Structure formats: structure tokens, C-alpha cells
Amino acid sequence: MLYKFEAYLRPASLVKVQAALSVIGIAALSVLEVRGCGRQRGHREVYRGAEYTIDFVPKIKVEVAVKAADKQAAIDAIVQASKTGQTGDGKVLVSAIEEAVRVRTGETGDSAL
């Protein structure tokens, strides 16, 4: 069984998350810059004397595929590396992957990672 992680995190936590995943042997990941809102509910900024409400906060989305044996270690690594204890730290979503295929070699399943 394979699992896909989608972690929505603060941009400042990327380096720590990448290092934490590397320590447990997970080197392959994808990162996207995203904007979103949740419990953090945005914030207010003042620019040239005018106040603006920023509803969508900049975040990063880290996508990682892991083997079943690495599932809990990957969750722990992401959470520990990105946790500040404040609202807006993010979420980690885990989904099962039915199949994975390495395009270059045709390998499937765990060996495709």
C-alpha cells in the first residue's frame, strides 16, 4: 500500500520539513505555492495609510508519496518540523494510492517510488 500526503503549511517551515523527511529517507517531494483560508482567517495590513484585509494567506502545499511502512514516520516528521503551536500551522491530509508507475522503467507499486 502507498500513501500520498498533502501538507498545507507555512512557507517558513519548508526547509525544516524537507530536512526532516530527508532524515527518514524520503527525498522526493513536490512543493506548490498556494493561498487559502481557514481558522487563521487572514489578517489586516496597512499600506500607505489604507487598511486592507488579506483573506487568503500564503501557504505551501507539500506533496509526498510514501510506502505504508513509512506512513507514521512521515506524518511525525512533517508535524514536528512545522509545528509552532499557533493558529495557521497547517494540515496534513493522507490518502491511499491505488497504484504508482515509474514512467521510465515501468516499475509499479513500492518500487515505483
Side-chain angles (χ1 to χ4, degrees):
M1 177 68 73
L2 301 172
Y3 292 94
K4 176 183 175 184
F5 293 88
E6 294 179 24
Y8 296 88
L9 309 168
R10 297 176 188 272
S13 65
L14 177 59
V15 173
K16 290 180 184 177
V17 169
Q18 184 178 12
L21 290 171
S22 179
V23 166
I24 62 171
I26 300 171
L29 57 96
S30 297
V31 179
L32 298 106
E33 293 180 6
V34 297
R35 295 187 163 288
C37 64
R39 289 188 180 166
Q40 194 174 4
R41 301 191 194 257
H43 61 277
R44 294 182 178 265
E45 290 185 4
V46 177
Y47 178 72
R48 294 188 179 187
E51 190 172 295
Y52 296 93
T53 300
I54 309 297
D55 293 325
F56 292 98
V57 179
K59 298 285 184 181
I60 57 167
K61 177 181 176 184
V62 177
E63 293 184 352
V64 182
V66 301
K67 301 174 187 176
D70 297 332
K71 178 182 171 187
Q72 193 57 50
I75 291 171
D76 294 342
I78 293 169
V79 169
Q80 290 174 2
S82 59
K83 185 176 183 178
T84 67
Q86 298 178 358
T87 303
D89 278 349
K91 301 247 183 320
V92 179
L93 308 176
V94 182
S95 306
I97 296 176
E98 287 189 33
E99 186 64 56
V101 178
R102 184 184 305 250
V103 174
R104 180 176 55 86
T105 62
E107 294 171 281
T108 61
D110 288 357
S111 58
L113 296 182

